[in-house]
Amino acid sequence: MRTTLLTVLSAAALAAAWHGPASAQQAAAPTRSDQAISDRVVKIGFILDMSGIYADVTGPGSAAAARMAVEDFGGSVLGAPIEVLVADHQNKADVAAATARAWFDTEKVDAILDVAASATALAAADIARAKNRIIAFSGPGAVRLTNEACSPVSIHWAYDTYALSNVTAQATVKAGGDSWFFITADYAFGHELERDATAVVKASGGSLKGSVRAPINTPDFSSFLLQAQGSGAKIVGLANAGRDTTNAIKQAAEFGLTQSGQKLAGLLVYINDVHSLGLGPTQGMLLTEGFYWDLDEGTRAWSKRFFERTGRMPNMSQAGVYSTVTHYLKAVRQAGTDETQAVMKVMRETPVNDFYARGGRIREDGRMVHDMYLFEVKTPAESTGPWDLYKRVATIPGDQAFQPLSASRCPLVKK
């Protein structure tokens, strides 16, 4: 299988021209001989959707976040340069698996620190387990990554279907939206999102009126929306993502679905989606995210730098990539090596404290537990600018947002 290699970035070369305070601080840190590093270079890879339906929410933005993290770290670790590799998986699991295998075997990649989309992530995770290489995820949502597919070398960073469903569905039922119909993306992520949301709806006293599965990259949602309208459900849950979500929301507005009294619940809605659609069709929508650019001084400062580079504000997956890369590189430095088990041990033992997560921790199932946030989309009158889109409704502590270990299906979890 031919791998589409889009970018190989020598971060050491970039760092030579980088004069930011973060780089200066790292440059002052003690270093060791690059002989502590295999092949005398640290290579990190990103298998992303660079051109498909998730390119806007992962893709070039996630690659930019990774490069920012490497530059801010100083471009090298333990005296060895850091290289970033980026590939397009074309939303094909076999391409993701082939890319991961080639990178580990031929390119000697030390860690893959994001794989966008769930099916592709699950495929790459199998390769990482077999090759004993670190793999982390901020783009995909399937909770299976920390359940049946968990491994000693994998970390799920930004969000998952359990947290999204738990927070959004529970709040929606509590607000009176107690009957649901799902329009679900017909692949691993969508199935898990519907399953998890249904469980929360029923546990909260709500009911399920039905569901329909739509193929990925569906241009026409009319038949699915008609079924949703005919169900009589108060809430139409969108268990999809990316362009599928924005198309469904646009067409729901055209069908007059919300005007007829039904409400939409986007179970994975990114800030990119709301910005693209505008506040008209999205105002009042409840949604769950693990990050928002305007939460505090730290998120605003980093997001401003990201905006200057990309022309848009970051979402939770892109900010999660920066956080993951930084945590990984710190662990390599502290471990004194890029050997997998030594680095994983430090990553698990070290709390995550940055603009993305405060007091975050990596559990034995690979879940990075951190606060999640329930937001309501602002009305046009409330917004003060193009990216002023959310108002925070609640902060949900990680232990309440994510699946408890007692319910885990991960074989690594001791019961």
Side-chain angles (χ1 to χ4, degrees), residues 69 72 138 157 290-291 295-300 302 316 318-328 330 350-361 368-371 373:
D72 288 354
S138 285
W157 203 266
F291 170 86
L295 281 175
D296 56 41
E297 185 176 334
T299 60
R300 286 189 288 271
W302 183 80
M316 64 176 167
Q318 293 160 348
V321 165
Y322 182 100
S323 178
T324 307
V325 172
T326 302
H327 193 71
Y328 171 78
K330 287 180 177 178
T350 306
V352 181
N353 285 302
D354 55 23
F355 69 85
Y356 186 83
R358 285 83 172 168
R361 58 187 177 87
M368 199 279 275
V369 178
H370 56 91
D371 291 350
Y373 306 95

Side-chain angles (χ1 to χ4, degrees), residues 236-299:
V236 178
L238 301 178
N240 50 19
R243 200 177 301 152
D244 284 342
T245 299
T246 57
N247 282 341
I249 294 173
K250 284 179 184 176
Q251 292 171 37
E254 293 168 2
F255 268 73
L257 187 143
T258 54
Q259 291 90 325
S260 66
Q262 290 179 302
K263 292 186 178 180
L264 294 175
L267 294 173
L268 176 54
V269 177
Y270 282 101
I271 189 172
N272 312 65
D273 303 325
V274 177
H275 180 263
S276 173
L277 289 164
L279 295 176
T282 58
Q283 60 183 305
M285 182 182 292
L286 291 175
L287 54 90
T288 302
E289 296 237 33
F291 170 86
Y292 179 50
W293 72 268
D294 200 21
L295 281 175
D296 56 41
E297 185 176 334
T299 60

Side-chain angles (χ1 to χ4, degrees), residues 115-193:
V115 184
S118 294
T120 43
L122 288 162
D126 286 343
I127 304 301
R129 183 206 299 261
K131 301 296 183 180
N132 190 36
R133 300 294 176 84
I134 292 171
I135 191 163
F137 308 103
S138 285
V143 75
R144 194 186 314 174
L145 289 164
T146 52
N147 279 305
E148 297 86 352
C150 74
S151 83
V153 295
S154 63
I155 305 169
H156 204 173
W157 203 266
Y159 71 98
D160 60 35
T161 55
Y162 183 98
L164 297 178
S165 303
N166 186 30
V167 176
T168 303
Q170 194 172 133
T172 303
V173 174
K174 187 177 180 180
D178 56 4
S179 60
W180 286 59
F181 182 95
F182 288 97
I183 297 176
T184 301
D186 193 11
Y187 68 107
F189 164 77
H191 300 171
E192 293 198 2
L193 196 51

Side-chain angles (χ1 to χ4, degrees), residues 386-412:
W387 292 95
D388 180 27
L389 302 174
Y390 296 167
K391 50 187 177 184
R392 182 169 20 171
V393 176
T395 299
I396 297 86
D399 288 340
Q400 297 176 27
F402 292 100
Q403 175 181 276
L405 278 177
S406 60
S408 175
R409 302 182 295 279
C410 170
L412 302 176

Side-chain angles (χ1 to χ4, degrees), residues 132 134 152-153 338-346:
N132 190 36
I134 292 171
V153 295
D338 59 357
E339 191 276 324
T340 294
Q341 296 307 319
V343 175
M344 278 297 299
K345 183 175 186 295
V346 175

